[in-house]
Amino acid sequence: MRPSRVLFWGVFTLAGVWFENVIPGVDFLAPGFILSIQEERWPVTFWLAVLWLFIQEGAGSLAFGSGILWYGALAGMYYFGHWLFEARNFLFMFILGVCLGLLHFLLTQVMGALNDWTIITERVFLECLLQALIFPVEWGLLFLIYNHLPEDANAV
Amino acid sequence: MRPPAGWDRDGARIISHRLGPNAALETILIDKGALAGLHVNTPVISPEGVVGRVLRLSPNAANVLLITDPNSRIPVASQINRTQGILRGEGPNRELTVEYVPLGAPIEEGEVLVTSGLEEIFPKGLPAARVTRVVKGGSSLFQTVFAEPLFTPERLEEVALLRRSAGALVVREEMALQDETDAPLTPPADAPPAATAAGQSGRAAQPGQAVKPEQTAQPGQAVKPEQTAQPGQAVKPEQTAPQTAAAKERKAKPGASAAPAVKPRTPSGQKPAPGASPEKPPAAKPAKKPQEGA
């Protein structure tokens, strides 16, 4: 992988964690996961997903496995959807964001029920809305930045 | 902030507050974990008061459930009037509520609520919240009491972790061992159930700790703390040990007073100085043997 790509994913991970701290409950790394599926080879995507999975699982309060379900369902929805839509279409990303928002609500409620926890439904609903809105916008920005990176260190 | 007697204090830094899509609860992440000797339910405090308790552990980090989370419930007592209740979180930026405060119980606005220690997680007497409103009325048998936490979650940077000191742990293990050896005893047939539950040491049963007749020990049945407590209320070993020791004393020496046979302990759980109290007579030892197959 080129140094510019390494730098891109490193900065993206740091920025994503910072944004997650600013707006809790929203996954800012999920658009990067989809972008890596679209643009990178699968070993790169795999290791990025493992890194982000550990971050989400370690920082979150749900039982272990929620992150695996989260990213697994996201990858499943993407592969299912790209048979029907153009994979790099903004409309497809918008639909994927809506599905991700619904998945966040479902996953939080199910994991809360399994752990016998009381979940603040109003807050989860707001997080779902933010997730659905932020996902396609962030993916669009990432797509533009990624495809305008210099090809090598000497290129300007 | 000085830790309570029998507890040690350790500091920790907060790595993050709520983070990511899995942050469904009101938690913070601290930089100490299992390798630093933490356990689930380790009390976490700040100079202002109780912050929460450890919810999940990893080797080098731990999730702390804040008292503002709806899943947090802590038994508390008001500092002045000693009115007891259960402090419950209601979510971020919302007032806490105190549940199960009877209508007639005195409690004032501005009064500080301190931990009562009944759940045996937090030490007794730590400030937890301040009463903001007391609402009486309606058809409920309980008052509606609102309180505010003493700390601001967003401004927390460091916290203190409380752990039982090594000496206190040894005493607790000894008391647990004594309970196990004293367990299979037969209470006297003429003893009333309440006396069996409250013990013979002169300590009266606390309100809410009254034991139902069917919860008393049957012949050959082990007397466990769970049998003398109401659901959700833990009973300290000190409350059960005198009872069993007194029953043994009566069995060994019919007609003798039960009080001298009780091995008194200081309020902090430490053993008294040698000679400060009469030891159990050796004659009572055979009666302690568990009755196998009884």
Side-chain angles (χ1 to χ4, degrees):
Chain A
M1 196 163 59
R2 295 188 184 92
S4 59
R5 300 282 190 262
V6 175
L7 185 66
F8 173 81
W9 290 118
V11 171
F12 166 74
T13 303
L14 290 175
V17 171
W18 186 80
F19 274 110
E20 286 187 0
N21 192 38
V22 173
I23 307 177
V26 178
D27 188 359
F28 281 86
L29 301 175
F33 179 60
I34 294 298
L35 185 70
S36 70
I37 291 176
Q38 292 170 337
E39 303 291 339
E40 298 283 1
R41 291 176 298 169
W42 71 265
V44 176
T45 302
F46 174 78
W47 288 114
L48 284 173
V50 168
L51 172 66
W52 296 336
L53 189 67
F54 277 121
I55 292 174
Q56 308 288 27
E57 291 280 8
S61 50
L62 293 179
F64 185 82
S66 311
I68 297 172
L69 287 173
W70 175 252
Y71 284 117
L74 179 59
M77 285 188 293
Y78 173 78
Y79 280 114
F80 178 74
H82 91 296
W83 290 339
L84 306 173
F85 299 93
E86 168 60 37
R88 291 174 176 80
N89 191 346
F90 186 79
L91 178 64
F92 175 48
M93 287 302 133
F94 181 77
I95 294 171
L96 206 56
V98 171
C99 292
L100 209 55
L102 293 173
L103 179 66
H104 178 62
F105 187 84
L106 182 71
L107 204 58
T108 307
Q109 295 296 328
V110 168
M111 296 304 283
L114 289 175
N115 285 282
D116 199 17
W117 284 340
T118 303
I119 303 292
I120 305 171
T121 309
E122 298 85 9
R123 186 173 70 185
V124 175
F125 186 75
L126 180 65
E127 290 168 0
C128 295
L129 199 61
L130 287 172
Q131 182 73 71
L133 293 174
I134 288 172
F135 180 84
V137 175
E138 187 188 349
W139 174 85
L141 288 173
L142 287 176
F143 185 79
L144 289 175
I145 295 170
Y146 185 90
N147 286 290
H148 286 80
L149 288 175
E151 289 300 319
D152 55 61
N154 296 323
V156 179
Chain B
M1 187 174 185
R2 184 175 297 175
W7 293 76
D8 290 333
R9 183 189 58 184
D10 196 5
R13 284 185 177 170
I14 294 174
I15 300 173
S16 75
H17 293 258
R18 289 184 63 235
L19 187 78
N22 293 344
L25 308 178
E26 284 295 300
T27 54
I28 55 174
L29 194 65
I30 59 174
D31 67 344
K32 293 279 175 65
L35 291 179
L38 297 193
H39 302 283
V40 171
N41 288 335
T42 296
V44 181
I45 63 171
S46 71
E48 290 83 19
V50 174
V51 171
R53 59 187 171 88
V54 171
L55 177 70
R56 277 204 322 171
L57 276 173
S58 60
N60 288 305
N63 273 103
V64 176
L65 182 72
L66 301 181
I67 62 170
T68 54
D69 188 86
N71 299 284
S72 169
R73 290 171 179 82
I74 302 174
V76 293
S78 60
Q79 198 169 31
I80 300 171
N81 293 304
R82 310 309 297 175
T83 298
Q84 297 197 4
I86 305 292
L87 185 67
R88 178 186 175 182
E90 294 290 342
N93 304 319
R94 291 184 182 176
E95 287 179 312
L96 310 169
T97 55
V98 187
E99 298 178 329
Y100 308 118
V101 179
L103 275 178
I107 189 164
E108 301 166 6
E109 292 181 7
E111 198 172 353
V112 173
L113 302 170
V114 298
T115 54
S116 63
L118 284 177
E119 86 287 10
E120 293 192 339
I121 292 176
F122 293 94
K124 186 177 180 180
L126 290 178
R130 183 180 288 106
V131 176
T132 54
R133 284 185 295 150
V134 181
V135 180
K136 298 178 181 178
S139 58
S140 174
L141 296 174
F142 302 104
Q143 302 179 51
T144 307
V145 179
F146 296 95
E148 61 180 3
L150 300 175
F151 68 96
T152 308
E154 294 81 15
R155 297 179 65 183
L156 276 179
E157 293 180 6
E158 288 102 13
V159 291
L161 309 162
L162 295 181
R163 285 177 291 188
R164 293 184 193 276
S165 57
L169 283 174
V170 169
V171 170
R172 284 170 63 87
E173 286 173 2
E174 286 179 356
M175 291 164 67
L177 189 63
Q178 184 183 0
D179 282 349
E180 288 177 4
T181 55
D182 291 352
L185 288 173
T186 305
D190 55 346
T196 308
Q200 303 292 330
S201 61
R203 183 202 298 246
Q206 298 297 319
Q209 288 182 334
V211 176
K212 295 176 182 177
E214 59 270 20
Q215 290 176 317
T216 57
Q218 298 299 319
Q221 182 184 5
V223 179
K224 294 179 179 177
E226 291 82 3
Q227 292 173 316
T228 59
Q230 290 188 345
Q233 184 177 17
V235 175
K236 294 180 179 179
E238 294 95 324
Q239 294 173 335
T240 54
Q243 163 210 346
T244 52
K248 279 188 303 184
E249 179 67 19
R250 279 198 308 277
K251 197 170 181 180
K253 293 182 179 180
S257 172
V262 177
K263 189 187 290 183
R265 294 182 185 278
T266 60
S268 62
Q270 300 294 328
K271 281 187 174 180
S277 66
E279 294 293 331
K280 293 178 186 175
K285 283 288 182 185
K288 289 181 188 173
K289 294 290 184 184
Q291 297 171 3
E292 297 292 332

